[in-house]
Amino acid sequence: MLKAKPERMTYAQEKLIKLIEERKLRKWCMDNGFTHSAVYRLALGEQIPTYKIIASMCHLISPVEWLFYTDEKLPYEPVLIPQWDCKNPSKYVKAHRYDYKTIAEKYSLEELNAYNIFVAYRSNPTPTFIRAACDATDPTEFFTDGEGEIKSLKEFTPDRGDIVSVDGKIILVITKKESNERNKSFAGCLVVQDSESGIELSGNAAKGKVLPHKLASFEIAHTMPRMLIEKETAEFTAIVIEEVRKGLE
């Protein structure tokens, strides 16, 4: 039996409540692998839809329908898309990995939160943020693959001073772009979070210490940097390079 309807509901809630009224919600949940009690609470507004929930249902309910209320006009045509794996960075997230600070400022996100979403992939964007971003972006971009948006090798070759992410490791590049392009490889020092030794990064979003003695070479063709995180100052990079030279003497 349906409890009292919420005074204000999203388009998604409206669809779920209709299923309840038609006594079809339980079967709908069973057919699609959802827990009936959890979906029932979503319908009544007793549970807030998370990014993970929206992603799990986007083949049945369009993401935009979770973000806007029925007394509001939908800014985009509702479309159904395949279920989305929240472990993967979406098209929108990958598209803004270079300018995440600008996005953070525009939508009032904490910079660390934005870093975790767009660079470290430790967090997912919240529905509140996705709704705000609808001013310029179709929300389906938060639930579809952005692999095609990654810059090609010709478009991005790391340069001296770049802080890049390679296979889950953070690296400060110490070789110049011209050399990297010619040799199709680059050299860099590992950046770690917890270390008694090392040189502290100078106020960048990528926190940690550079270890000059942890020097390694990376073949661009096989371990292409997945993203440019930050660019260190020339002064800071020169200090690291000097420490590297001392270690090689």
Side-chain angles (χ1 to χ4, degrees):
M1 183 177 179
L2 178 64
K3 298 178 183 178
K5 294 182 183 181
E7 292 184 6
R8 196 177 188 217
M9 68 181 78
T10 63
Y11 286 88
Q13 284 177 276
E14 184 180 53
K15 287 188 172 183
L16 295 177
I17 286 175
K18 184 178 180 181
L19 288 172
I20 295 173
E21 292 175 334
E22 294 175 350
R23 298 182 179 275
K24 295 179 180 178
L25 182 66
R26 186 176 297 278
K27 185 177 187 307
W28 185 85
C29 290
M30 291 178 62
D31 290 344
N32 293 289
F34 301 126
T35 303
H36 174 263
S37 59
V39 177
Y40 187 88
R41 291 195 299 272
L42 283 169
L44 270 61
E46 296 174 357
Q47 181 174 334
I48 303 300
T50 62
Y51 180 80
K52 185 176 181 179
I53 287 172
I54 297 173
S56 70
M57 294 188 181
C58 56
H59 63 307
L60 300 166
I61 300 175
S62 177
V64 73
E65 294 179 295
W66 289 101
L67 307 174
F68 292 87
Y69 294 95
T70 53
D71 58 1
E72 299 175 305
K73 183 179 179 181
L74 289 175
Y76 299 92
E77 187 71 23
V79 293
L80 299 181
I81 54 179
Q83 280 182 306
W84 178 247
D85 185 350
C86 296
K87 296 178 182 178
N88 297 325
S90 66
K91 179 178 181 179
Y92 184 90
V93 168
K94 286 186 176 181
H96 292 286
R97 62 194 181 280
Y98 299 111
D99 65 342
Y100 73 92
K101 289 184 178 181
T102 301
I103 295 297
E105 182 177 358
K106 180 178 179 180
Y107 296 110
S108 301
L109 297 176
E110 291 186 3
E111 189 173 304
L112 179 58
N113 183 27
Y115 173 80
N116 284 331
I117 293 172
F118 294 99
V119 178
Y121 301 159
R122 297 192 190 105
S123 301
N124 289 317
T126 65
T128 300
F129 164 51
I130 297 172
R131 175 187 162 110
C134 283
D135 67 334
T137 305
D138 188 322
T140 57
E141 292 194 11
F142 286 88
F143 302 92
T144 50
D145 195 344
E147 193 66 28
E149 300 297 317
I150 294 178
K151 290 192 174 185
S152 70
L153 174 60
K154 291 183 179 179
E155 292 174 311
F156 175 57
T157 299
D159 195 7
R160 175 175 288 177
D162 286 350
I163 301 175
V164 298
S165 175
V166 182
D167 297 332
K169 297 178 181 179
I170 306 301
I171 305 295
L172 172 68
V173 180
I174 64 170
T175 47
K176 293 183 178 181
K177 183 174 182 178
E178 295 79 5
S179 172
N180 298 338
E181 288 180 336
R182 183 174 61 254
N183 298 322
K184 301 192 183 309
S185 65
F186 68 95
C189 297
L190 182 66
V191 177
V192 297
Q193 293 291 323
D194 300 313
S195 176
E196 294 182 0
S197 62
I199 306 173
E200 190 81 34
L201 290 172
S202 59
N204 293 273
K207 303 298 182 182
K209 292 183 178 180
V210 182
L211 303 182
H213 63 286
K214 291 290 186 179
L215 179 66
S217 179
F218 302 89
E219 292 184 27
I220 296 176
H222 299 298
T223 57
M224 179 181 171
R226 294 184 180 277
M227 69 194 75
L228 171 68
I229 298 175
E230 293 282 340
K231 190 167 184 70
E232 259 294 359
T233 64
E235 293 77 12
F236 179 90
T237 307
I239 292 172
V240 173
I241 292 174
E242 181 60 29
E243 291 300 312
V244 170
R245 285 173 178 161
K246 289 180 182 178
L248 296 175
E249 291 177 350

